[in-house]
Amino acid sequence: MDWSKFPKKIRIVEVGPRDGLQNEKQVTKTSDKATFIKELVEAGHQTVEVSSFVRPDRVPQMADAKELYPMVEDLLKTGVDLPCLVPNLKGLETAKELGVKEVAVFTAASDTFNQKNINATISKSFERIEPVVKEALASGMKVRGYLSTAFGCPYEGKIDPARVKEVALRLEELGCYEISLGDTVGTGSPRSVQETLDLILSDIDVKKIALHFHDTRGTALTNILTGLSMGVTVFDSSAGGLGGCPYAKGATGNVATEDLVYLCQTLGIETGVDLKKLSEASLKILTLLGKDTTSKFLRAYKNADFNLFIPTPS
Ligand code: HMG
Ligand code: MG
């Protein structure tokens, strides 16, 4: 590998409080979520996705978004970004009332997944998203775009990279400052990531692309390595490897932030995140949830001295 081509620094979008918790059946106390978010910021995170303004009956764990956001918004003063997901104008109205500074809209490269997730085909989803993005931008908000099932769909199987590119271009044209390609069910491989990125990066600046891997089949870190080798500098991950999508049965958590940070440390890539503080925050929320972690690093951290040898490049 040509390590000299790898970025020196990446930005992590910590999605634990949203993507990580949204699939948990037992609803977490709002105050515990707020503490979790504060600890993630104390660990050095610059971007923490707080919650989503979606139908509470569809995702009960996110039903307290209106109460949660004001409990953490003071963190904005430290310069961090606290994005929230909005599926439609109703969600955007709530975001505006609360003074949210960044929102994320979401669609997919698969009609079937989109239909189940947001009750809209890809084309219908753009009818909804378009006014949301326009109004959000006009209100001075930053808008990020999620593109789910970019590397495979639980219902339609293989996804044509050309379709992914088409949807990515539409999100970019609308004004999304960044497009996060979601491997919703963890079927991406280094090869499919490379092929999809090759196609997309011929028309979209790499600085506008983020990668969002669920680690359902254990390929997330190799996929990230592929993204890094192609110049991607933004990765979504979830503290402790929490997560899943309520509309993608069997999908497990996002790649664990600890594993991503550890990988970056071994490669000499700066993340700004303190592994020890992050690990402690993750262990705390996992204990509250009564869950074990899927993070390999966190398991090692729990079971060994923290002074684990972290190899760094010479
Ligand atoms: P819909 O049923 O098509 O909406 O839902 P509707 O406009 O027909 O309205 C139906 C009812 O919902 C109405 O209530 C609305 O007021 C209400 P009623 O009049 O019947 O009492 N409603 C809302 N309530 C609160 N907030 C709203 C809202 N909108 C309508 N914003 C909708 C469409 C998208 C809202 C719905 O399907 C939904 O909420 N789905 C949940 C989607 C979701 O949160 N999925 C998980 C996040 S995406 C993800 O995880 C993937 C990602 O991580 C990337 C990856 O991994 O690939 C990002
Ligand atoms: Mg996700």
Side-chain angles (χ1 to χ4, degrees):
M1 283 213 183
D2 185 354
W3 303 110
S4 68
K5 293 214 171 107
F6 277 55
K8 301 276 174 286
K9 194 178 169 179
I10 62 159
R11 182 167 72 89
I12 295 178
V13 176
E14 172 58 60
V15 296
R18 195 278 305 170
D19 210 353
L21 292 179
Q22 72 181 9
N23 213 26
E24 291 299 324
K25 292 213 166 43
Q26 178 204 326
V27 174
T28 311
K29 278 198 331 211
T30 312
S31 55
D32 288 337
K33 291 181 187 174
T35 305
F36 180 39
I37 292 166
K38 283 175 192 160
E39 288 173 354
L40 291 169
V41 171
E42 277 161 22
H45 274 301
Q46 282 301 301
T47 310
V48 182
E49 206 168 68
V50 171
S51 192
S52 51
F53 303 114
V54 294
R55 276 182 63 162
D57 57 326
R58 299 285 302 268
V59 192
Q61 180 69 262
M62 299 289 107
D64 62 350
K66 261 191 197 176
E67 289 73 51
L68 176 60
Y69 193 83
M71 289 166 80
V72 296
E73 70 172 335
D74 252 14
L75 294 168
L76 290 170
K77 290 182 192 146
T78 65
V80 300
D81 291 317
L82 300 173
C84 297
L85 262 61
V86 294
N88 52 17
L89 282 170
K90 187 173 168 78
L92 182 67
E93 268 323 298
T94 311
K96 278 167 66 178
E97 281 164 28
L98 292 170
V100 171
K101 305 276 182 264
E102 177 173 339
V103 291
V105 293
F106 48 109
T107 184
S110 143
D111 275 324
T112 320
F113 173 79
N114 239 13
Q115 195 68 53
K116 291 188 191 280
N117 190 34
I118 56 171
N119 194 24
T121 57
I122 301 171
S123 128
K124 183 99 184 127
S125 75
F126 273 96
E127 285 173 28
R128 277 193 201 150
I129 289 173
E130 203 175 306
V132 172
V133 178
K134 280 195 180 138
E135 199 173 319
L137 292 173
S139 317
M141 292 174 173
K142 276 169 78 180
V143 185
R144 189 173 203 244
Y146 272 113
L147 202 174
S148 288
T149 63
F151 306 102
C153 169
Y155 310 104
E156 293 184 16
K158 195 168 161 47
I159 296 289
D160 182 358
R163 180 129 55 103
V164 182
K165 180 173 175 173
E166 202 183 301
V167 180
L169 280 169
R170 285 186 77 175
L171 287 169
E172 191 204 18
E173 279 158 19
L174 276 181
C176 293
Y177 78 92
E178 191 168 278
I179 295 125
S180 176
L181 303 177
D183 187 10
T184 318
V185 284
T187 46
S189 69
R191 191 162 172 167
S192 63
V193 170
Q194 185 187 2
E195 283 167 4
T196 304
L197 283 178
D198 263 340
L199 198 64
I200 288 180
L201 298 183
S202 60
D203 279 301
I204 302 181
D205 187 343
V206 69
K207 291 195 192 79
K208 290 190 171 176
I209 295 296
L211 294 173
H212 176 111
F213 293 112
H214 284 260
D215 201 22
T216 316
R217 291 166 183 80
T219 53
L221 282 184
T222 55
N223 294 340
I224 286 174
L225 200 64
T226 307
L228 286 167
S229 75
M230 297 180 75
V232 177
T233 57
V234 186
F235 296 89
D236 304 351
S237 63
S238 166
L242 291 167
C245 177
Y247 297 99
K249 202 162 177 269
T252 54
N254 299 80
V255 63
T257 310
E258 288 81 357
D259 295 346
L260 170 60
V261 172
Y262 176 77
L263 174 73
C264 286
Q265 287 197 6
T266 66
L267 297 175
I269 298 171
E270 208 184 302
T271 65
V273 176
D274 180 311
L275 255 181
K276 190 169 164 54
K277 287 185 183 163
L278 169 67
S279 299
E280 291 300 328
S282 297
L283 289 174
K284 219 165 121 183
I285 194 85
L286 284 159
T287 305
L288 284 172
L289 294 169
K291 285 188 84 162
D292 200 0
T293 183
T294 55
S295 161
K296 294 280 197 317
F297 177 88
L298 199 53
R299 275 194 204 143
Y301 173 83
K302 242 177 34 167
N303 298 324
D305 239 353
F306 182 68
N307 284 329
L308 287 168
F309 169 58
I310 300 183
T312 45
S314 47

